[in-house]
Amino acid sequence: QQQVKQSPQSLIVQKGGISIINCAYENTAFDYFPWYQQFPGKGPALLIAIRPDVSEKKEGRFTISFNKSAKQFSLHIMDSQPGDSATYFCAASGISNFGNEKLTFGTGTRLTIIP
Amino acid sequence: EPEVTQTPSHQVTQMGQEVILRCVPISNHLYFYWYRQILGQKVEFLVSFYNNEISEKSEIFDDQFSVERPDGSNFTLKIRSTKLEDSAMYFCASSEAFLAGLYNEQFFGPGTRLTVL
């Protein structure tokens, strides 16, 4: 019930195209859904995050779509660029009155943007 | 920009040996975490630490693991007797003061690659 399932495992998109990565969760106690971007040799870095009270959040070329009833959320990267080539992790967490709860990560998607 | 730092970047050890992985969290942060990522797999939570005690730990964090904040800047993960399956990338993370009902971003370090032979 704690799992976050992520697909696809790898994705190749042409420059200028739309990259779409999907995640699904089971635990209805999750209340915060971030996406992390990881470049080789670096730690994960927060890209964009959403709370379940909204269905979409957009920051620049990055958009999270959230479907609470289906327990699914997705990352859309518009006008994908070679610099977006990285591994992307979705994650989920609860929020309590006692402190941050742990992040539960998806399995990751290796995105490659080709010219 | 403040960042989480970790040392060493790569640690090679023999099975059964003790290792200590070190982290310097962002200076005004109060919550500290360790995660690990076995090669090709997802990032997994190990432990969270606040106010000099463990807040939460996962099933992975057994008696072989311990964490400590020995001074005002360092946060360490000790593995007492390493096993082959402990080989992984270990990430330290930190987040700032907690505000009830809000999620505070966890900032990750670059990781320490632990190889157990």
mmCIF file of all heavy atoms in Angstrom, chain B residues 62-92:
data_model
loop_
_atom_site.group_PDB
_atom_site.id
_atom_site.type_symbol
_atom_site.label_atom_id
_atom_site.label_comp_id
_atom_site.label_asym_id
_atom_site.label_seq_id
_atom_site.Cartn_x
_atom_site.Cartn_y
_atom_site.Cartn_z
ATOM 1 N N ASP B 62 17.969 -1.605 10.312
ATOM 2 C CA ASP B 62 17.989 -2.544 11.435
ATOM 3 C C ASP B 62 19.105 -2.184 12.413
ATOM 4 O O ASP B 62 19.680 -1.096 12.347
ATOM 5 C CB ASP B 62 18.113 -3.983 10.908
ATOM 6 C CG ASP B 62 19.407 -4.214 10.126
ATOM 7 O OD1 ASP B 62 20.367 -3.445 10.304
ATOM 8 O OD2 ASP B 62 19.441 -5.169 9.337
ATOM 9 N N ASP B 63 19.412 -3.116 13.308
ATOM 10 C CA ASP B 63 20.371 -2.837 14.375
ATOM 11 C C ASP B 63 21.788 -2.582 13.871
ATOM 12 O O ASP B 63 22.637 -2.117 14.637
ATOM 13 C CB ASP B 63 20.399 -4.000 15.365
ATOM 14 C CG ASP B 63 19.112 -4.117 16.140
ATOM 15 O OD1 ASP B 63 18.341 -3.121 16.137
ATOM 16 O OD2 ASP B 63 18.838 -5.165 16.731
ATOM 17 N N GLN B 64 22.043 -2.899 12.618
ATOM 18 C CA GLN B 64 23.371 -2.639 12.051
ATOM 19 C C GLN B 64 23.576 -1.162 11.711
ATOM 20 O O GLN B 64 24.691 -0.732 11.478
ATOM 21 C CB GLN B 64 23.581 -3.480 10.786
ATOM 22 C CG GLN B 64 23.648 -4.973 11.040
ATOM 23 C CD GLN B 64 24.784 -5.328 11.970
ATOM 24 O OE1 GLN B 64 25.918 -4.873 11.809
ATOM 25 N NE2 GLN B 64 24.497 -6.138 12.972
ATOM 26 N N PHE B 65 22.480 -0.424 11.657
ATOM 27 C CA PHE B 65 22.541 0.976 11.272
ATOM 28 C C PHE B 65 22.372 1.870 12.504
ATOM 29 O O PHE B 65 21.617 1.535 13.424
ATOM 30 C CB PHE B 65 21.421 1.315 10.279
ATOM 31 C CG PHE B 65 21.571 0.692 8.921
ATOM 32 C CD1 PHE B 65 21.094 -0.580 8.673
ATOM 33 C CD2 PHE B 65 22.179 1.387 7.886
ATOM 34 C CE1 PHE B 65 21.215 -1.154 7.419
ATOM 35 C CE2 PHE B 65 22.312 0.827 6.624
ATOM 36 C CZ PHE B 65 21.824 -0.444 6.392
ATOM 37 N N SER B 66 23.044 3.002 12.488
ATOM 38 C CA SER B 66 22.800 4.014 13.503
ATOM 39 C C SER B 66 23.080 5.381 12.908
ATOM 40 O O SER B 66 23.803 5.499 11.918
ATOM 41 C CB SER B 66 23.676 3.786 14.748
ATOM 42 O OG SER B 66 25.038 3.877 14.419
ATOM 43 N N VAL B 67 22.448 6.401 13.475
ATOM 44 C CA VAL B 67 22.677 7.766 13.027
ATOM 45 C C VAL B 67 23.042 8.617 14.233
ATOM 46 O O VAL B 67 22.668 8.320 15.373
ATOM 47 C CB VAL B 67 21.451 8.375 12.310
ATOM 48 C CG1 VAL B 67 21.247 7.740 10.954
ATOM 49 C CG2 VAL B 67 20.197 8.251 13.165
ATOM 50 N N GLU B 68 23.763 9.689 13.927
ATOM 51 C CA GLU B 68 24.234 10.549 14.998
ATOM 52 C C GLU B 68 24.458 11.947 14.450
ATOM 53 O O GLU B 68 24.796 12.115 13.275
ATOM 54 C CB GLU B 68 25.567 9.993 15.536
ATOM 55 C CG GLU B 68 26.033 10.596 16.823
ATOM 56 C CD GLU B 68 27.330 9.955 17.297
ATOM 57 O OE1 GLU B 68 28.159 9.582 16.455
ATOM 58 O OE2 GLU B 68 27.505 9.836 18.524
ATOM 59 N N ARG B 69 24.231 12.920 15.313
ATOM 60 C CA ARG B 69 24.608 14.290 14.989
ATOM 61 C C ARG B 69 25.649 14.682 16.037
ATOM 62 O O ARG B 69 25.315 15.233 17.088
ATOM 63 C CB ARG B 69 23.384 15.190 15.029
ATOM 64 C CG ARG B 69 23.621 16.579 14.511
ATOM 65 C CD ARG B 69 22.331 17.187 14.010
ATOM 66 N NE ARG B 69 22.399 18.622 13.884
ATOM 67 C CZ ARG B 69 22.923 19.252 12.845
ATOM 68 N NH1 ARG B 69 23.445 18.569 11.852
ATOM 69 N NH2 ARG B 69 22.910 20.560 12.786
ATOM 70 N N PRO B 70 26.909 14.365 15.751
ATOM 71 C CA PRO B 70 27.948 14.495 16.783
ATOM 72 C C PRO B 70 28.273 15.941 17.158
ATOM 73 O O PRO B 70 28.800 16.189 18.233
ATOM 74 C CB PRO B 70 29.156 13.808 16.131
ATOM 75 C CG PRO B 70 28.921 13.911 14.675
ATOM 76 C CD PRO B 70 27.432 13.842 14.483
ATOM 77 N N ASP B 71 27.962 16.866 16.262
ATOM 78 C CA ASP B 71 28.212 18.272 16.567
ATOM 79 C C ASP B 71 27.136 19.095 15.864
ATOM 80 O O ASP B 71 26.164 18.536 15.376
ATOM 81 C CB ASP B 71 29.619 18.683 16.124
ATOM 82 C CG ASP B 71 29.883 18.334 14.671
ATOM 83 O OD1 ASP B 71 28.981 18.574 13.831
ATOM 84 O OD2 ASP B 71 30.951 17.799 14.366
ATOM 85 N N GLY B 72 27.323 20.395 15.805
ATOM 86 C CA GLY B 72 26.272 21.242 15.249
ATOM 87 C C GLY B 72 26.159 21.220 13.741
ATOM 88 O O GLY B 72 25.228 21.806 13.190
ATOM 89 N N SER B 73 27.080 20.507 13.059
ATOM 90 C CA SER B 73 27.036 20.579 11.604
ATOM 91 C C SER B 73 26.947 19.215 10.930
ATOM 92 O O SER B 73 26.343 19.097 9.877
ATOM 93 C CB SER B 73 28.255 21.336 11.079
ATOM 94 O OG SER B 73 29.450 20.706 11.484
ATOM 95 N N ASN B 74 27.542 18.180 11.515
ATOM 96 C CA ASN B 74 27.584 16.895 10.830
ATOM 97 C C ASN B 74 26.410 15.986 11.201
ATOM 98 O O ASN B 74 25.863 16.068 12.309
ATOM 99 C CB ASN B 74 28.887 16.168 11.176
ATOM 100 C CG ASN B 74 30.079 16.821 10.538
ATOM 101 O OD1 ASN B 74 30.314 16.676 9.355
ATOM 102 N ND2 ASN B 74 30.825 17.589 11.336
ATOM 103 N N PHE B 75 26.062 15.133 10.269
ATOM 104 C CA PHE B 75 25.033 14.109 10.476
ATOM 105 C C PHE B 75 25.594 12.837 9.870
ATOM 106 O O PHE B 75 25.957 12.820 8.698
ATOM 107 C CB PHE B 75 23.732 14.548 9.807
ATOM 108 C CG PHE B 75 22.594 13.585 9.921
ATOM 109 C CD1 PHE B 75 22.203 13.076 11.154
ATOM 110 C CD2 PHE B 75 21.865 13.203 8.803
ATOM 111 C CE1 PHE B 75 21.136 12.200 11.265
ATOM 112 C CE2 PHE B 75 20.798 12.332 8.898
ATOM 113 C CZ PHE B 75 20.435 11.821 10.125
ATOM 114 N N THR B 76 25.723 11.779 10.658
ATOM 115 C CA THR B 76 26.407 10.586 10.178
ATOM 116 C C THR B 76 25.508 9.367 10.163
ATOM 117 O O THR B 76 24.573 9.255 10.970
ATOM 118 C CB THR B 76 27.648 10.273 11.037
ATOM 119 O OG1 THR B 76 27.230 9.996 12.374
ATOM 120 C CG2 THR B 76 28.641 11.425 11.032
ATOM 121 N N LEU B 77 25.811 8.468 9.247
ATOM 122 C CA LEU B 77 25.173 7.159 9.169
ATOM 123 C C LEU B 77 26.274 6.124 9.353
ATOM 124 O O LEU B 77 27.254 6.126 8.612
ATOM 125 C CB LEU B 77 24.484 6.964 7.818
ATOM 126 C CG LEU B 77 23.900 5.575 7.552
ATOM 127 C CD1 LEU B 77 22.681 5.313 8.456
ATOM 128 C CD2 LEU B 77 23.482 5.426 6.086
ATOM 129 N N LYS B 78 26.116 5.268 10.345
ATOM 130 C CA LYS B 78 27.095 4.214 10.595
ATOM 131 C C LYS B 78 26.471 2.868 10.282
ATOM 132 O O LYS B 78 25.330 2.593 10.692
ATOM 133 C CB LYS B 78 27.558 4.229 12.054
ATOM 134 C CG LYS B 78 28.636 3.189 12.347
ATOM 135 C CD LYS B 78 28.846 2.955 13.838
ATOM 136 C CE LYS B 78 29.443 4.099 14.553
ATOM 137 N NZ LYS B 78 29.783 3.776 15.969
ATOM 138 N N ILE B 79 27.210 2.061 9.554
ATOM 139 C CA ILE B 79 26.817 0.670 9.338
ATOM 140 C C ILE B 79 27.854 -0.170 10.048
ATOM 141 O O ILE B 79 29.050 -0.119 9.711
ATOM 142 C CB ILE B 79 26.751 0.308 7.837
ATOM 143 C CG1 ILE B 79 25.909 1.329 7.073
ATOM 144 C CG2 ILE B 79 26.152 -1.093 7.675
ATOM 145 C CD1 ILE B 79 25.882 1.106 5.573
ATOM 146 N N ARG B 80 27.430 -0.932 11.044
ATOM 147 C CA ARG B 80 28.378 -1.597 11.949
ATOM 148 C C ARG B 80 29.138 -2.741 11.280
ATOM 149 O O ARG B 80 30.332 -2.867 11.419
ATOM 150 C CB ARG B 80 27.641 -2.138 13.180
ATOM 151 C CG ARG B 80 27.725 -1.237 14.377
ATOM 152 C CD ARG B 80 26.989 -1.837 15.566
ATOM 153 N NE ARG B 80 25.587 -1.463 15.556
ATOM 154 C CZ ARG B 80 25.143 -0.279 15.952
ATOM 155 N NH1 ARG B 80 25.974 0.636 16.385
ATOM 156 N NH2 ARG B 80 23.855 -0.004 15.925
ATOM 157 N N SER B 81 28.454 -3.573 10.580
ATOM 158 C CA SER B 81 29.068 -4.741 9.964
ATOM 159 C C SER B 81 28.470 -4.888 8.572
ATOM 160 O O SER B 81 27.389 -5.447 8.399
ATOM 161 C CB SER B 81 28.785 -5.998 10.805
ATOM 162 O OG SER B 81 29.334 -7.152 10.184
ATOM 163 N N THR B 82 29.164 -4.340 7.594
ATOM 164 C CA THR B 82 28.581 -4.225 6.258
ATOM 165 C C THR B 82 28.379 -5.586 5.601
ATOM 166 O O THR B 82 29.152 -6.537 5.804
ATOM 167 C CB THR B 82 29.474 -3.366 5.361
ATOM 168 O OG1 THR B 82 30.829 -3.838 5.443
ATOM 169 C CG2 THR B 82 29.409 -1.905 5.770
ATOM 170 N N LYS B 83 27.313 -5.653 4.817
ATOM 171 C CA LYS B 83 27.002 -6.845 4.039
ATOM 172 C C LYS B 83 27.090 -6.477 2.559
ATOM 173 O O LYS B 83 27.038 -5.305 2.196
ATOM 174 C CB LYS B 83 25.592 -7.350 4.340
ATOM 175 C CG LYS B 83 25.275 -7.583 5.805
ATOM 176 C CD LYS B 83 23.866 -8.132 5.925
ATOM 177 C CE LYS B 83 23.395 -8.186 7.355
ATOM 178 N NZ LYS B 83 23.116 -6.861 7.910
ATOM 179 N N LEU B 84 27.195 -7.492 1.715
ATOM 180 C CA LEU B 84 27.248 -7.238 0.271
ATOM 181 C C LEU B 84 26.037 -6.425 -0.190
ATOM 182 O O LEU B 84 26.158 -5.530 -1.031
ATOM 183 C CB LEU B 84 27.319 -8.557 -0.500
ATOM 184 C CG LEU B 84 28.559 -9.416 -0.298
ATOM 185 C CD1 LEU B 84 28.421 -10.735 -1.059
ATOM 186 C CD2 LEU B 84 29.814 -8.674 -0.736
ATOM 187 N N GLU B 85 24.879 -6.740 0.376
ATOM 188 C CA GLU B 85 23.642 -6.081 -0.048
ATOM 189 C C GLU B 85 23.521 -4.640 0.434
ATOM 190 O O GLU B 85 22.564 -3.950 0.098
ATOM 191 C CB GLU B 85 22.413 -6.891 0.387
ATOM 192 C CG GLU B 85 22.348 -7.202 1.852
ATOM 193 C CD GLU B 85 22.910 -8.578 2.188
ATOM 194 O OE1 GLU B 85 23.886 -9.007 1.545
ATOM 195 O OE2 GLU B 85 22.367 -9.224 3.108
ATOM 196 N N ASP B 86 24.486 -4.173 1.222
ATOM 197 C CA ASP B 86 24.507 -2.761 1.617
ATOM 198 C C ASP B 86 25.104 -1.876 0.527
ATOM 199 O O ASP B 86 25.072 -0.642 0.623
ATOM 200 C CB ASP B 86 25.305 -2.572 2.910
ATOM 201 C CG ASP B 86 24.629 -3.217 4.113
ATOM 202 O OD1 ASP B 86 23.387 -3.256 4.151
ATOM 203 O OD2 ASP B 86 25.361 -3.688 5.008
ATOM 204 N N SER B 87 25.664 -2.493 -0.504
ATOM 205 C CA SER B 87 26.219 -1.718 -1.611
ATOM 206 C C SER B 87 25.106 -0.908 -2.261
ATOM 207 O O SER B 87 24.100 -1.462 -2.717
ATOM 208 C CB SER B 87 26.850 -2.640 -2.655
ATOM 209 O OG SER B 87 27.981 -3.307 -2.114
ATOM 210 N N ALA B 88 25.277 0.399 -2.279
ATOM 211 C CA ALA B 88 24.241 1.296 -2.783
ATOM 212 C C ALA B 88 24.783 2.711 -2.765
ATOM 213 O O ALA B 88 25.865 2.977 -2.251
ATOM 214 C CB ALA B 88 22.989 1.218 -1.906
ATOM 215 N N MET B 89 23.999 3.624 -3.327
ATOM 216 C CA MET B 89 24.258 5.054 -3.175
ATOM 217 C C MET B 89 23.441 5.523 -1.982
ATOM 218 O O MET B 89 22.238 5.259 -1.922
ATOM 219 C CB MET B 89 23.840 5.792 -4.433
ATOM 220 C CG MET B 89 24.108 7.280 -4.390
ATOM 221 S SD MET B 89 25.859 7.654 -4.549
ATOM 222 C CE MET B 89 25.989 7.748 -6.320
ATOM 223 N N TYR B 90 24.089 6.187 -1.055
ATOM 224 C CA TYR B 90 23.415 6.683 0.141
ATOM 225 C C TYR B 90 23.287 8.198 0.050
ATOM 226 O O TYR B 90 24.272 8.911 -0.112
ATOM 227 C CB TYR B 90 24.182 6.279 1.399
ATOM 228 C CG TYR B 90 24.053 4.795 1.697
ATOM 229 C CD1 TYR B 90 24.828 3.858 1.012
ATOM 230 C CD2 TYR B 90 23.134 4.331 2.619
ATOM 231 C CE1 TYR B 90 24.694 2.507 1.253
ATOM 232 C CE2 TYR B 90 22.994 2.967 2.873
ATOM 233 C CZ TYR B 90 23.779 2.066 2.178
ATOM 234 O OH TYR B 90 23.626 0.716 2.421
ATOM 235 N N PHE B 91 22.054 8.674 0.153
ATOM 236 C CA PHE B 91 21.784 10.101 0.068
ATOM 237 C C PHE B 91 21.372 10.632 1.435
ATOM 238 O O PHE B 91 20.522 10.050 2.111
ATOM 239 C CB PHE B 91 20.645 10.387 -0.914
ATOM 240 C CG PHE B 91 20.983 10.107 -2.349
ATOM 241 C CD1 PHE B 91 20.448 8.998 -2.986
ATOM 242 C CD2 PHE B 91 21.816 10.958 -3.066
ATOM 243 C CE1 PHE B 91 20.740 8.739 -4.311
ATOM 244 C CE2 PHE B 91 22.122 10.699 -4.390
ATOM 245 C CZ PHE B 91 21.579 9.585 -5.014
ATOM 246 N N CYS B 92 21.947 11.749 1.789
ATOM 247 C CA CYS B 92 21.526 12.510 2.959
ATOM 248 C C CYS B 92 20.609 13.629 2.463
ATOM 249 O O CYS B 92 20.795 14.143 1.348
ATOM 250 C CB CYS B 92 22.762 13.090 3.648
ATOM 251 S SG CYS B 92 22.444 14.235 4.983
#
